[in-house]
Amino acid sequence: MTDFHTLGLSSSVLEVLEKLGFERPTDIQTKAIPILLQEDPTDFIGLAQTGTGKTAAFGLPLIDLIDTSDTAVQALVMSPTRELSQQTAKQLIDFTSNNKALNVEVVYGGANIVTQIKALKKTTQIVVATPGRLIDLIKRKAISLENVQYVVLDEADEMLNMGFKEDIDDILSYTPQDRVTWLFSATMPSEIRRIVKKYMQHPKEVSINAREKSNKDITHQYVMTKSSNKLAALRRFLDIQPDMRGIMFCRTKRETQQISDELTEKGYGAEALHGDLSQGQRDAVMKRFKSRSMQLLIATDVAARGIDVNDLTHVFHHTLPDQLESYTHRSGRTGRAGNKGISLVFINPRESRRISELEGKIKVKFERVEVPTKEALTSIRVQNWANLIQNTTVDAQADILASEVEKQFAGLSKEDLIKRLITTQLDHLSTQASEPADLNEKHGSSNTQSNGNMLRYFINVGMMDGLTKGDLIHFLSDVSGVERTLFGEVTMQKSYSFFEVDKSQASGMANNFDDIEIQGRSIRVNRDDSGGGSKRSQHQSHGRKKDKRQKPRQQFSRSRRGRR
């Protein structure tokens, strides 16, 4: 079996690895390190999923290749986020613990740039950086890349997804033509191929079977429920598995914060992680998460980059990412270090085809699971409570107090006492009376026409207005006076949306929005009986009579609405 001694690493690096407890290299390390260490440096492409040991795959060869007698910056590692940059730099520093002449510095946005400039004035051979901050430092002439021999593009696909293409082009223009470029990525989209063609010469490529390996430890599942019921469904999964610990991914910062707030209000250990938080706030959230002070982290894809936690049991997807390749990054947060994990997607009936697309793209099979019904949740909660009682160590004080309490229960039989104890547990169940007993939906149960007790409506408000589905329901509820729980499926397009409302509340629904204007634009609502929603959107956004009375403008911000 391959070990680090067979890969060509120096005795100094091997000694550090032994101290750090590294025993056997991963697949990407086994294949990449010998290539990167060869005397004639070569451009290199390493394709491997998150959590497969890529940092050591490029970091260990770098440490052996750096000339410590040269005080110039010789290696540049670019990462998409500050969290990943910090994590990478920390690991490189650990690898250089017995080489005091080699210095690693990390620079990223959100930190004091003056402090970073001072640090770079010291001898620094390896710089780990986010593209945006590195551009700032180059423009300030605080760093020179003219002696860089090695450039590492880490998580290259994510850097492109985050819009760093032009920054990467700009940064590479400051490096020597004869530098060596090592590119590591989980996927190989066309934009990555463009970089390869433009900046690399006859690169050697290693693609490990990381997808199959990681998926062995990850069970991929999905549930089908209305979009408006996704949060209720999540709560039920949290309730039946109190030991669950995971991350839920959301598309937007607003959605992330909203879900976190609603879970916190109901007593769940959840916090949000997104780009609107300061670096200090982000660090504090991650510290609490790693110390197990919370059960669930609610995060955007960008904010979650660089999170390094090996014992997550679940990854939840409130919505699938726009780029299906990003699913592998998300799901790779669980099933690490030999642990089993579950990746669970929440979809509505209209999104079922995306599961099929995903199965074809990443070559895994998704298992459909059911959201626990109220009855099942009740049974499981009570069973968990019974197991807790059975496994509780009796406190010494209990013997003293038992005789006093026993007198109060003297008139109750064992069966009556058990029933009363169970009733106290039922009183604490978190399911709301307004929630349906069964939150599951069937394939195709949500179509272009309303069904059951719901009617479907059109409104000329959409994603371009900066709304989440939750925001839209709040707005509809505030204007119409209909309780939020009586709204059903919401489908948002760029400039318009469709929503369902209980038939009992539909009378006069459209009339409630007469003369309502948002930022000078007339709001129109009507029954979706005739199709052609997008055309109506254009027709109804114009042609309002200017002499009509204008009601006070409704605000989309939740801070202006009370809670119902």
Side-chain angles (χ1 to χ4, degrees):
M1 183 175 289
T2 304
D3 62 27
F4 284 103
H5 290 81
T6 66
L7 302 182
L9 294 165
S10 67
S11 58
S12 174
V13 168
L14 291 173
E15 183 181 334
V16 172
L17 292 176
E18 186 175 348
K19 289 179 182 177
L20 294 174
F22 282 69
E23 295 180 355
R24 293 188 179 87
T26 64
D27 288 349
I28 187 64
Q29 292 162 7
T30 298
K31 295 181 179 180
I33 290 174
I35 297 174
L36 301 181
L37 279 173
Q38 62 188 22
E39 291 183 6
D40 183 18
T42 180
D43 289 341
F44 178 83
I45 299 171
L47 297 177
Q49 302 298 322
T50 300
T52 53
K54 286 182 287 184
T55 303
F58 66 75
L60 297 176
L62 269 187
I63 291 166
D64 270 347
L65 292 168
I66 293 296
D67 180 3
T68 55
S69 65
D70 186 350
T71 60
V73 177
Q74 300 168 50
L76 171 64
V77 180
M78 279 192 275
S79 298
T81 67
R82 48 193 167 191
E83 287 82 11
L84 186 57
S85 295
Q86 289 173 306
Q87 176 186 321
T88 299
K90 181 182 182 303
Q91 194 161 5
L92 292 177
I93 291 169
D94 288 342
F95 292 154
T96 62
S97 60
N98 63 352
N99 190 343
K100 303 304 179 185
L102 201 163
N103 188 43
V104 179
E105 290 293 343
V106 57
V107 292
Y108 50 85
N112 190 318
I113 194 170
V114 175
T115 302
Q116 293 177 352
I117 290 173
K118 288 180 179 179
L120 290 172
K121 289 181 178 179
K122 299 183 295 183
T123 297
T124 302
Q125 290 97 349
I126 301 176
V127 171
V128 183
T130 54
R133 176 50 57 93
L134 186 57
I135 289 287
D136 290 342
L137 291 166
I138 291 171
K139 290 180 178 178
R140 293 181 183 223
K141 300 187 183 304
I143 186 172
S144 171
L145 304 182
E146 62 183 15
N147 293 309
V148 166
Q149 300 173 46
Y150 305 95
V151 172
V152 181
L153 302 177
D154 190 20
E155 304 284 10
D157 50 353
E158 280 301 299
M159 282 196 283
L160 294 183
N161 287 340
M162 293 169 63
F164 287 130
K165 180 170 69 71
E166 292 182 1
D167 286 346
I168 292 172
D169 287 339
D170 196 7
I171 290 166
L172 292 179
S173 71
Y174 289 93
T175 62
Q177 289 289 328
D178 61 348
R179 68 170 188 281
V180 172
T181 304
W182 299 344
L183 184 149
F184 287 81
S185 183
T187 59
M188 187 59 77
S190 58
E191 283 299 320
I192 296 285
R193 290 294 178 191
R194 186 195 67 81
I195 289 179
V196 171
K197 185 176 181 180
K198 185 175 181 180
Y199 293 110
M200 303 173 78
Q201 295 183 3
H202 309 296
K204 293 188 177 180
E205 183 171 327
V206 165
S207 179
I208 67 165
N209 211 6
R211 179 174 292 160
E212 290 184 9
K213 183 181 179 187
S214 62
N215 286 334
K216 286 181 183 177
D217 294 326
I218 301 174
T219 301
H220 298 267
Q221 301 176 339
Y222 73 96
V223 297
M224 190 173 293
T225 188
K226 290 182 178 179
S227 295
S228 56
N229 286 334
K230 286 183 178 181
L231 188 55
L234 171 66
R235 291 202 313 269
R236 294 190 186 184
F237 282 107
L238 293 174
D239 284 339
I240 65 172
Q241 300 181 66
D243 295 331
M244 175 191 297
R245 186 163 177 261
I247 300 176
M248 168 168 264
F249 284 95
C250 300
R251 274 194 184 141
T252 66
K253 293 180 284 189
R254 180 183 297 183
E255 191 175 58
T256 299
Q257 191 62 56
Q258 179 180 326
I259 291 174
S260 172
D261 290 344
E262 292 189 24
L263 287 174
T264 301
E265 286 176 7
K266 296 185 182 301
Y268 294 89
E271 289 195 50
L273 186 72
H274 53 71
D276 284 348
L277 302 179
S278 68
Q279 185 61 41
Q281 290 173 318
R282 290 158 69 101
D283 291 342
V285 169
M286 282 309 303
K287 184 177 181 180
R288 287 191 289 272
F289 187 53
K290 289 183 177 181
S291 66
R292 294 178 170 271
S293 297
M294 70 175 98
Q295 183 181 15
L296 190 66
L297 186 69
I298 318 294
T300 58
D301 289 285
V302 173
R305 300 304 301 158
I307 291 178
D308 186 26
V309 181
N310 284 330
D311 57 351
L312 298 183
T313 63
H314 286 70
V315 167
F316 295 103
H317 310 262
H318 185 265
T319 45
L320 282 169
D322 292 326
Q323 301 296 325
L324 291 181
E325 291 87 349
S326 297
Y327 176 85
T328 58
H329 286 288
R330 290 180 173 188
S331 59
R333 300 293 164 195
T334 188
R336 289 186 169 190
N339 297 316
K340 301 295 183 182
I342 291 174
S343 178
L344 179 61
V345 181
F346 293 89
I347 63 168
N348 64 48
R350 293 186 186 89
E351 297 172 314
S352 58
R353 62 177 178 79
R354 298 200 73 204
I355 294 295
S356 299
E357 292 174 5
L358 197 51
E359 287 180 326
K361 187 173 288 288
I362 66 173
K363 309 303 180 187
V364 298
K365 186 67 178 174
F366 277 77
E367 170 194 0
R368 179 171 180 176
V369 296
E370 297 287 300
V371 181
T373 62
K374 282 187 177 180
E375 292 74 16
L377 179 61
T378 298
S379 176
I380 292 170
R381 286 275 300 267
V382 171
Q383 188 61 49
N384 288 339
W385 164 77
N387 290 336
L388 178 64
I389 291 177
Q390 189 174 10
N391 295 313
T392 298
T393 302
V394 177
D395 190 285
Q397 285 186 304
D399 289 331
I400 302 172
L401 297 172
S403 58
E404 300 177 12
V405 177
E406 190 175 353
K407 296 175 183 177
Q408 292 180 262
F409 294 152
L412 296 175
S413 66
K414 176 182 176 181
E415 289 74 16
D416 285 337
L417 181 57
I418 291 174
K419 289 177 182 178
R420 281 168 168 77
L421 289 172
I422 290 174
T423 301
T424 63
Q425 285 300 304
L426 296 180
D427 290 341
H428 291 96
L429 285 174
S430 65
T431 55
Q432 300 175 355
S434 59
E435 286 180 13
D438 187 357
L439 297 178
N440 296 287
E441 294 285 312
K442 292 184 173 65
H443 283 278
S445 65
S446 185
N447 48 45
T448 56
Q449 296 295 323
S450 303
N451 56 74
N453 294 319
M454 309 298 281
L455 292 177
R456 194 167 188 250
Y457 283 82
F458 164 90
I459 182 171
N460 63 334
V461 172
M463 291 183 289
M464 65 183 292
D465 296 292
L467 298 180
T468 65
K469 293 179 181 180
D471 289 330
L472 182 56
I473 289 178
H474 275 283
F475 172 66
L476 296 170
S477 176
D478 285 349
V479 175
S480 66
V482 175
E483 288 290 332
R484 296 196 301 269
T485 55
L486 296 175
F487 287 92
E489 183 71 27
V490 173
T491 303
M492 298 188 72
Q493 303 296 330
K494 184 176 181 180
S495 59
Y496 60 94
S497 301
F498 298 100
F499 65 90
E500 292 181 347
V501 67
D502 192 281
K503 284 182 178 179
S504 65
Q505 304 296 317
S507 177
M509 173 59 67
N511 296 335
N512 288 318
F513 294 83
D514 284 348
D515 302 323
I516 296 294
E517 293 193 3
I518 300 296
Q519 298 177 349
R521 175 162 55 91
S522 299
I523 299 301
R524 283 294 188 91
V525 170
N526 57 261
R527 279 283 303 277
D528 181 45
D529 290 332
S530 57
S534 59
K535 293 180 180 178
R536 276 200 311 278
S537 171
Q538 298 171 4
H539 171 72
Q540 293 171 355
S541 294
H542 306 285
R544 298 281 293 176
K545 293 181 180 180
K546 292 183 179 180
D547 59 350
K548 280 201 172 186
R549 178 175 56 86
Q550 180 174 323
K551 287 186 180 182
R553 292 182 181 177
Q554 300 294 323
Q555 299 295 321
F556 288 134
S557 172
R558 290 184 60 190
S559 62
R560 293 291 301 272
R561 314 184 198 98
R563 294 189 181 275
R564 292 184 179 271

